[in-house]
Amino acid sequence: MGPKAKKSGSKKKRITKADRLKQLQEEEEKRQKEEEEARVKYEKEEMERLEIQRTEKEKLRKLEAKDLERRNEELEELYLLEACFPEAEKLKRDSRLLSQWKHYIQCDGSPDPSISQEINTFISLWKEETNETFEAVTAKSKLVLNLIEKLKLILLETPSYDLQEKNIIQYQGSILELQELLHLKFNIATEILLRQASTLADLDSGNMEKVIRDENVTLYVWANLKKNPRYRSIRFSETQIGFEIPRILATSDIALRLLHTHYDHVTPLGPVPTAPQEHTSTVTYFGKDEVKSVEAAVSKDLQEEYNEQENESNVVHEEETKVDEQGGIEGQTSLGPVNVSPTGHQRQILKEGLQKYTYPPETAEDFETENAFPPIEVMLEVHENVIFFENPVVARWDAEGKHWKTDGISNVSYKSEDRLITFSLETLGPVTLIQDAHVNMPYQSWELRPLDVNKVLLTVTTVFTEIQIQIKENLCMLASIKLNDKKHSSILEEKWMTPVSFIIALKEAGLNIFPTGHSHFYVVINYKLPLVEVKAYRQMALLSSAFAFGWSKWNTVCDSKKVLFQVREHLPKEEPIQNPNWTLLMFSGDRAQSLKINESSDAFSEALKEETEFHSTLYHMVKDFASKEAMKKVRCSNCQFVDSVCHMLLSTRLLSYS
């Protein structure tokens, strides 16, 4: 073998101690240099930041000083613009007087319900009329219900400073008398109808069955002439309405009446405020089938809400029984007094007239079994003009407690497609259908947009629906409803009404987007100070003829002393813009400013938008970026139109309930 080959490469060079020290020294010098550069950079940046901050503070100080300097001038100009509100109140008062005069010169025989002598004479004369048929009472009920509605509108629309205590007592007394007399007349007319039970008997069953329909009331009456224990299922012809009665009733001398009214004559009237107040919006609280005349001046409600917010946390309570159903069942189901012989020939009606049959009887000693008086099953059709966003709840009237209750009702079944509801009643009496009064609160978004001269469109979007409301001059109209993104037809569409009447009609249809003074107990709201909210609505109404306003997600982030919303100029004749350029405004009641952020920003900031200033009013804030044409339209707005827009904004409370 030859000699071994030498290993390639050389041994790694060793680092000496001197080299190591030199390397460490170089690294230390580099680190110190970097730290020094970082320190210098930081100090420079900090100086720049402080300078910018100082400049910004100085800029803000100057802007605040400028705002303070012209504050009185801006507020004086706003005061002149807001003169439209008392002017609108004056026009409404003149309109009420003119309405009274028109009624006087018409001489159509109908009484003026506001004049006690006329309404008392009407009531007395009608009491003297006897032997009226059900059809005659139904025809007369149109006038009576119209008089009741007029009285309620007087209480709701008349400012509290124009209402005297004696007038309120007079109007409410007249309403109660008319309601009681109308119901008494229906009872008497039903008795007269039942006198003809044998002649109206059905050929197949041998029992009497009668249906009388009207726009305000429908009568379903059935008289048990044959007393056949096997005939326990009652269905009125051409309807799904009927009863399943127990054997004890199938063999008794009784009649069943279901009087379905589209108005409320059961729930007591609520209080009417009489304290003097400034321009406020009137919100009505709605109860069974009809609006309850509970007037709540918004300014007072807001202040009460503020006081409550100060003392307790805003939590969601379980909703009490509050009726929001216009077409609810008036189940004044009178059992008795017809006595019939086994052959079906009618005997004499009791001298006392129509007698109520108590079921179950107060004394049931003669009956051995516990189930001698089982519940009565009732089948009813839900009125097509009423919208239920959830399955309706059946409630019965408690005559002793004077309120609606949900006990004594079982086996409730609702078929939404057929609009048919079935339930079992332990006792008979007035019943109705209810849903959560706040099912559409809080709102998801909203927008107020000009359509034409003195005409705007208010869109409110909730979890279940989108409601569009048109407002012009002193009138409002339901423009459209969407349920599950599909258009839903309503009898209210294309009908112009005054704001108060419109709110009543919407609530009657189940479309309640009008909070009351106690709604914050049942809804988690975005609470705002009352004064800030009211000022914002008034000034938004002033600008609504030329500017669009919209919901902002940042309104929930800022504190209760400020409100945030989007605004942009929108002249009615201009073409719709695909991606409109909104400006985000923040308003505290005393100061308005345009913010740098927008809806797509990642974080909230109150930083002032560049090249903008502070102003004391929204009017002067938008004036900075508005065209001359837009501001001219604002100054020429109709005072009744501005008042109506303000009324609707105060009634919906968009800034707190969105």
Side-chain angles (χ1 to χ4, degrees):
M1 291 180 63
K4 292 182 179 180
K6 293 182 180 179
K7 292 182 180 180
S8 61
S10 58
K11 291 183 179 180
K12 189 175 180 181
K13 186 177 181 181
R14 292 186 177 182
I15 300 176
T16 63
K17 187 175 182 180
D19 292 337
R20 187 183 297 275
L21 290 173
K22 184 178 179 182
Q23 185 178 354
L24 291 173
Q25 186 177 0
E26 289 176 352
E27 291 176 356
E28 179 65 19
E29 290 175 354
K30 182 179 180 182
R31 184 185 64 79
Q32 291 178 355
K33 183 179 179 182
E34 290 175 350
E35 287 181 354
E36 179 65 18
E37 290 175 352
R39 184 186 64 78
V40 172
K41 182 180 179 182
Y42 171 78
E43 290 179 352
K44 183 180 179 181
E45 290 176 349
E46 184 67 12
M47 289 178 64
E48 291 175 351
R49 187 186 67 81
L50 291 173
E51 179 62 22
I52 293 173
Q53 193 177 65
R54 188 192 65 78
T55 305
E56 288 293 328
K57 284 184 178 181
E58 180 64 20
K59 181 181 177 182
L60 288 176
R61 189 190 64 77
K62 290 181 179 179
L63 290 175
E64 288 172 353
K66 186 176 181 181
D67 177 37
L68 189 62
E69 183 180 345
R70 63 190 176 197
R71 177 176 176 77
N72 290 337
E73 181 183 342
E74 290 186 349
L75 291 178
E76 286 177 7
E77 189 172 358
L78 177 66
Y79 176 78
L80 294 174
L81 290 170
E82 289 190 332
C84 65
F85 292 118
E87 178 64 23
E89 287 297 330
K90 181 179 179 299
L91 290 174
K92 283 190 279 189
R93 183 183 300 176
D94 293 343
S95 177
R96 289 191 293 270
L97 294 173
L98 181 61
S99 177
Q100 289 181 332
W101 172 249
K102 285 182 178 179
H103 182 274
Y104 175 77
I105 63 176
Q106 275 179 349
C107 297
D108 58 358
S110 64
D112 184 341
S114 64
I115 300 176
S116 61
Q117 185 177 357
E118 291 190 25
I119 196 68
N120 290 338
T121 302
F122 172 81
I123 292 172
S124 298
L125 291 175
W126 196 26
K127 283 181 179 178
E128 293 174 1
E129 295 181 24
T130 57
N131 297 324
E132 291 178 285
T133 64
F134 198 91
E135 288 82 357
V137 175
T138 300
K140 192 69 168 280
S141 70
K142 292 182 174 63
L143 172 59
V144 175
L145 293 173
N146 181 257
L147 295 174
I148 292 173
E149 183 181 358
K150 284 183 178 179
L151 286 169
K152 289 185 175 182
L153 285 176
I154 289 173
L155 290 171
L156 292 171
E157 292 184 330
T158 307
S160 58
Y161 50 76
D162 280 346
L163 271 179
Q164 296 182 13
E165 184 68 27
K166 63 177 183 179
N167 295 127
I168 295 174
I169 295 172
Q170 173 199 323
Y171 299 153
Q172 290 185 331
S174 297
I175 291 171
L176 290 175
E177 278 195 82
L178 288 169
Q179 288 176 338
E180 291 171 359
L181 181 57
L182 178 59
H183 194 59
L184 175 63
K185 289 287 185 178
F186 277 133
N187 285 344
I188 296 172
T190 304
E191 177 185 334
I192 293 172
L193 182 64
L194 286 170
R195 293 176 190 271
Q196 311 167 40
S198 57
T199 59
L200 297 173
D202 181 69
L203 295 176
D204 295 329
S205 66
N207 295 320
M208 172 201 168
E209 178 187 308
K210 183 72 174 178
V211 178
I212 300 177
R213 297 181 182 275
D214 184 71
E215 60 182 290
N216 296 314
V217 62
T218 304
L219 172 72
Y220 304 88
V221 64
W222 175 84
N224 191 11
L225 302 178
K226 289 297 184 181
K227 292 184 288 184
N228 186 343
R230 292 177 297 178
Y231 193 83
R232 297 165 58 181
S233 181
I234 304 163
R235 292 290 185 281
F236 293 97
S237 58
E238 299 180 0
T239 72
Q240 294 291 322
I241 295 175
F243 304 91
E244 291 286 341
I245 59 175
R247 182 183 179 86
I248 186 68
L249 292 182
T251 57
S252 301
D253 295 326
I254 57 97
L256 288 170
R257 181 188 72 169
L258 193 154
L259 188 63
H260 182 177
T261 64
H262 298 172
Y263 57 89
D264 180 23
H265 62 271
V266 178
T267 311
L269 298 173
V272 177
T274 56
Q277 59 192 44
E278 296 179 359
H279 170 80
T280 57
S281 174
T282 301
V283 176
T284 56
Y285 179 70
F286 175 71
K288 169 189 172 290
D289 289 343
E290 181 185 86
V291 173
K292 304 294 116 236
S293 55
V294 177
E295 183 182 66
V298 169
S299 61
K300 182 179 179 181
D301 275 354
L302 292 177
Q303 192 57 48
E304 289 178 354
E305 181 179 309
Y306 170 70
N307 295 334
E308 290 163 353
Q309 289 280 353
E310 290 290 303
N311 297 322
E312 56 187 281
S313 60
N314 181 25
V315 295
V316 179
H317 297 264
E318 183 178 353
E319 176 66 273
E320 294 178 350
T321 301
K322 292 196 172 105
V323 181
D324 283 330
E325 203 268 310
Q326 178 261 355
I329 313 115
E330 198 292 304
Q332 194 65 42
T333 312
S334 303
L335 301 178
V338 180
N339 294 319
V340 290
S341 68
T343 59
H345 296 293
Q346 185 173 344
R347 293 180 182 174
Q348 182 181 2
I349 299 289
L350 298 178
K351 292 182 179 180
E352 293 83 356
L354 192 65
Q355 300 295 305
K356 181 179 179 181
Y357 181 97
T358 304
Y359 182 87
E362 295 179 359
T363 57
E365 297 176 357
D366 298 335
F367 299 91
E368 298 178 357
T369 59
E370 293 183 1
N371 283 337
F373 301 96
I376 298 174
E377 185 177 303
V378 184
M379 289 137 285
L380 295 162
E381 294 173 350
V382 178
H383 202 290
E384 62 182 359
N385 295 330
V386 183
I387 298 175
F388 282 101
F389 299 98
E390 298 174 339
N391 287 348
V393 177
V394 184
R396 66 176 183 86
W397 179 249
D398 181 0
E400 292 183 4
K402 302 295 181 184
H403 61 268
W404 295 98
K405 299 176 69 175
T406 55
D407 62 346
I409 300 167
S410 58
N411 303 323
V412 180
S413 174
Y414 178 59
K415 297 178 181 178
S416 57
E417 293 183 359
D418 300 328
R419 299 187 71 83
L420 186 68
I421 190 164
T422 305
F423 54 92
S424 297
L425 277 174
E426 293 180 5
T427 59
L428 296 172
V431 292
T432 191
L433 304 183
I434 66 174
Q435 68 177 334
D436 184 355
H438 305 97
V439 68
N440 282 310
M441 302 177 203
Y443 323 126
Q444 291 188 321
S445 64
W446 59 270
E447 183 183 83
L448 181 68
R449 175 167 55 88
L451 290 178
D452 206 340
V453 178
N454 295 319
K455 187 175 181 180
V456 298
L457 180 70
L458 174 63
T459 303
V460 180
T461 304
T462 73
V463 173
F464 296 101
T465 183
E466 179 188 274
I467 302 173
Q468 290 193 326
I469 301 168
Q470 285 189 21
I471 307 169
K472 71 172 183 179
E473 296 180 355
N474 63 331
L475 301 172
C476 301
M477 179 191 77
L478 181 64
S480 72
I481 310 171
K482 284 185 181 179
L483 299 177
N484 299 320
D485 296 325
K486 294 181 181 178
K487 184 171 172 46
H488 179 84
S489 60
S490 170
I491 60 169
L492 297 179
E493 292 181 51
E494 308 303 323
K495 291 185 178 180
W496 290 98
M497 293 174 268
T498 61
V500 172
S501 299
F502 178 74
I503 290 171
I504 290 173
L506 241 61
K507 289 183 175 182
E508 287 179 344
L511 298 170
N512 185 17
I513 54 170
F514 307 101
T516 68
H518 303 289
S519 293
H520 62 285
F521 287 124
Y522 311 108
V523 183
V524 178
I525 69 170
N526 179 27
Y527 177 71
K528 301 296 178 183
L529 285 180
L531 188 58
V532 175
E533 201 174 349
V534 172
K535 282 185 176 181
Y537 294 143
R538 288 167 67 93
Q539 295 183 40
M540 287 165 67
L542 286 170
L543 297 164
S544 61
S545 58
F547 294 88
F549 296 89
W551 170 85
S552 171
K553 66 180 182 182
W554 300 117
N555 188 45
T556 59
V557 178
C558 67
D559 59 43
S560 62
K561 298 178 181 179
K562 299 166 185 173
V563 294
L564 267 78
F565 47 85
Q566 298 183 88
V567 63
R568 65 184 178 92
E569 182 179 316
H570 183 95
L571 297 178
K573 298 299 182 181
E574 69 183 20
E575 293 294 325
I577 304 173
Q578 290 291 336
N579 297 306
N581 185 22
W582 292 93
T583 298
L584 189 62
L585 293 188
M586 183 170 72
F587 184 56
S588 65
D590 297 322
R591 175 175 291 170
Q593 68 183 82
S594 180
L595 299 185
K596 185 183 291 186
I597 60 171
N598 54 39
E599 286 300 291
S600 59
S601 299
D602 296 328
F604 176 70
S605 170
E606 294 187 6
L608 188 68
K609 188 176 181 180
E610 296 176 359
E611 299 180 359
T612 62
E613 299 179 351
F614 294 124
H615 285 280
S616 299
T617 71
L618 292 175
Y619 172 82
H620 295 90
M621 184 71 249
V622 300
K623 190 177 179 181
D624 281 354
F625 58 81
S627 65
K628 292 182 179 179
E629 184 182 357
M631 299 314 295
K632 182 179 179 181
K633 285 186 176 293
V634 169
R635 288 189 292 271
C636 296
S637 296
N638 179 283
C639 64
Q640 289 181 304
F641 161 74
V642 174
D643 183 75
S644 297
V645 174
C646 183
H647 188 123
M648 201 55 58
L649 292 175
L650 283 164
S651 300
T652 52
R653 305 233 359 233
L654 301 172
L655 296 172
S656 284
Y657 282 80
S658 294

